[in-house]
Amino acid sequence: MRFRLIINFMFFYIYDSFLADKKYEKILGKIEIRLTNLGIAGRNIRLSILKNVEEIVKDLPEKDSPTIVIIGEDKTFFKAAKALVGKRTPIGFIPIRGNSIVAKLLGLPINEFACDVVSARLIETINLGKVNKETFFSFLEIPAKDVIITCDHQYLIRTNKLKKVRIFNLGLLQFGDSFRETEEKKMIANPKDKYLEILIGNPSERFLFWRKKEKLDSLFFAEKIDIISKKRNKKIPIIVDGEKIIELPVSIGLSRELIRVVVGRNRLI
Amino acid sequence: MSKKNEEVNSEAETIIGAGVEVEGTFVSSGNVTVKGRVLGSLETKNDLYVAETASIEAEVKAKNAFIGGEVKGDVVAEEKVKLSNSAKVFGDITCQTLSIEEGAILNGKCQMSKREEGKEE
C-alpha cells in the first residue's frame, strides 16, 4: 500500500483596498487561478475603508500555523507584518505594482508569478525596528534640520544644510519610495544584522522639467539611536513606514521579537 | 583625497559626509570614510579614508589610514598610513609603513612599529 503525505497549510489572502478597482480584475483572476492550480487557494479577505489590515491580521486564528498573504502594495504589507510581531504565523506577499521595493528585497516576482514563491514557502526570520513603543518594518523619516542624533550613547551627529534623515531596518538605501531597474546597484539595509542604518542627505526634487538627483551624504550603523530636537518645544514629525506620524523625542532600536516572512530564492537579504 | 584613494574606497561602509559633524567616541568595525567633521576619537578595525574636505580633531586609530584632509590629533595605524598631497596632520603618527606625498604637511613625530612575525596568542 502506498501512502502519500499531503500537508495542507492554511492560507489567508488579504486583498488591498485599491484592488477593488475594475482594472485589477484580470490580474486578480490570474492570481486566483494560479493559486488554485498550485493547491494553495485559501480564504480571501478584501480590505476596505472600514476594514483595517492590522485588526484583521491580529484576529486571524494562529492554530495550524496558517500563512497570511498580502496581495497589494508595500505599505499594506508593512502594516500586516507589524501586526504579526511575536506570532509564529508567517507572512507572504504578492506584489501588484512593479516598483515594489519589498518585492525586490524579498525576491518576489509581481502578480501571479509570485504565487509560486508563496507555494514554495521558503521562510526567513527577520528583525523589526522599534521607535518608542511602536514597531516599524522598513524605515523612519525625519527632517534633518534642527535634530541631534545620538548613536549607541557614544557619539552625536549634527547635520548642516541637509534635508532628510532616514533610519532603515529593511530597504534600499535611498530617499525614493520606489524601485527602478536602473538602480540595481543600490545598497540595502539588511534586517538580519543587528544594526539600523542611518542615511542622511537630500531627496531628489523636481522643478518643472528639471529633476535634481538625490544626494546621499552620510551613512551610519547603530544599534540604539536617540533623536532630540535642537530647539526646545519644537515639534518635529517622524514618518513611520511612509505613513504614520509621531513626534520627537524618540528612542529607536531593534525589536526583540522577530517575524517570519516568505521569501523567494532571488532575495537580496 | 586623491582619485586613487577614491577608487580604493569602493568597499566603504560608514560614511561621515561633508554635511555632518560627529562628536564623541566613534568606533566601527568596517571601513570608514570621513568627508565632514569629527571631534573626539575615531577608531576602526578596518581602513580609514580621510577626504580633502574632512576636518578631524580626534585621536585616530585604524588598520590603514589614507589621509587627504586635516587631522589634529595622533594617528595610530596597525599597518599603513598614507598622506596624500592635500593632507595636513598635526599630531604623531605610529604605523608600520608610512608614505608621504609631496605637498603633504606633517607636524609631529613618526614612530615606525615593527611587524610582529610569528606572533602567538
Side-chain angles (χ1 to χ4, degrees), chain A residues 15-269:
Chain A
Y15 289 66
D16 217 324
S17 54
F18 74 89
L19 297 173
D21 194 313
K22 268 195 172 180
K23 70 175 178 184
Y24 294 105
E25 263 178 19
K26 228 179 180 181
I27 295 171
L28 296 183
K30 283 182 185 173
I31 289 172
E32 280 161 19
I33 290 168
R34 188 70 193 138
L35 291 175
T36 308
N37 290 344
L38 289 166
I40 54 167
R43 197 181 134 196
N44 297 339
I45 302 164
R46 289 171 202 278
L47 294 178
S48 65
I49 304 166
L50 301 172
K51 281 186 182 173
N52 173 327
V53 69
E54 289 104 321
E55 283 172 16
I56 288 173
V57 169
K58 277 180 186 167
D59 291 344
L60 290 176
E62 282 183 75
K63 205 184 158 193
D64 300 329
S65 187
T67 303
I68 292 171
V69 181
I70 303 300
I71 305 177
E73 62 177 4
D74 288 6
K75 279 182 189 174
T76 313
F77 177 76
F78 294 157
K79 287 182 196 169
K82 285 189 281 187
L84 284 173
V85 172
K87 292 187 177 183
R88 285 203 45 81
T89 310
I91 184 166
F93 185 40
I94 298 178
I96 297 296
R97 288 173 176 159
N99 59 2
S100 162
I101 289 180
V102 174
K104 186 68 197 171
L105 296 174
L106 301 184
L108 309 171
I110 63 161
N111 299 342
E112 72 271 22
F113 304 104
C115 299
D116 295 68
V117 174
V118 174
S119 169
R121 222 171 173 263
L122 179 62
I123 292 171
E124 280 276 6
T125 305
I126 63 171
N127 290 319
L128 284 181
K130 199 162 193 182
V131 51
N132 292 346
K133 285 178 182 174
E134 288 196 42
T135 50
F136 68 96
F137 188 86
S138 182
F139 67 86
L140 307 174
E141 190 173 286
I142 305 150
K145 205 185 162 196
D146 296 334
V147 296
I148 298 173
I149 304 163
T150 307
C151 297
D152 298 324
H153 306 297
Q154 297 231 300
Y155 61 92
L156 306 174
I157 305 169
R158 290 190 196 92
T159 63
N160 180 24
K161 291 179 185 170
L162 296 172
K163 289 179 182 168
K164 282 271 186 294
V165 178
R166 267 196 183 189
I167 297 171
F168 287 93
N169 174 50
L170 167 118
L172 288 175
L173 295 174
Q174 62 177 31
F175 290 104
D177 287 331
S178 60
F179 172 76
R180 286 187 289 272
E181 289 298 332
T182 51
E183 293 174 342
E184 188 96 30
K185 284 180 184 171
K186 282 231 154 138
M187 290 185 288
I188 59 160
N190 196 330
K192 291 199 295 179
D193 61 18
K194 58 177 185 174
Y195 298 105
L196 293 163
E197 287 80 1
I198 306 168
L199 182 68
I200 308 172
N202 295 330
S204 70
E205 284 175 294
R206 270 197 176 177
F207 303 103
L208 296 171
F209 303 106
W210 181 63
R211 186 168 168 262
K212 196 177 172 187
K213 266 190 170 182
E214 69 176 9
K215 180 190 171 193
L216 309 181
D217 183 86
S218 302
L219 179 65
F220 295 88
F221 301 83
E223 288 175 59
K224 284 187 178 171
I225 303 159
D226 293 290
I227 305 177
I228 55 164
S229 168
K230 277 182 196 170
K231 292 176 184 170
R232 258 192 201 181
N233 301 328
K234 194 182 177 190
K235 288 184 177 177
I236 296 177
I238 296 185
I239 300 168
V240 183
D241 280 336
E243 226 174 38
K244 200 169 185 178
I245 295 175
I246 55 171
E247 281 169 358
L248 288 177
V250 287
S251 190
I252 304 158
L254 287 169
S255 169
R256 282 183 191 169
E257 290 153 315
L258 305 166
I259 59 161
R260 301 170 77 220
V261 180
V262 178
V263 295
R265 287 189 178 176
N266 299 326
R267 65 194 178 277
L268 300 176
I269 58 169

Side-chain angles (χ1 to χ4, degrees), chain A residues 154 221, chain B residues 9 11-16 25-34 38 41-50 56 58-67 74-80:
Chain A
Q154 297 231 300
F221 301 83
Chain B
N9 198 2
E11 288 175 16
E13 287 183 7
T14 301
I15 302 165
I16 301 174
T25 309
F26 181 90
V27 182
S28 170
S29 53
N31 293 345
V32 177
T33 298
V34 184
V38 180
S41 69
L42 173 59
E43 185 178 339
T44 175
K45 287 176 186 160
N46 234 308
D47 296 347
L48 171 71
Y49 302 89
V50 182
I56 298 176
E59 302 299 311
V60 174
K61 276 186 188 175
K63 188 177 172 194
N64 296 296
F66 303 95
I67 301 173
D74 297 342
V75 178
V76 178
E78 262 178 54
E79 292 174 11
K80 190 174 172 184

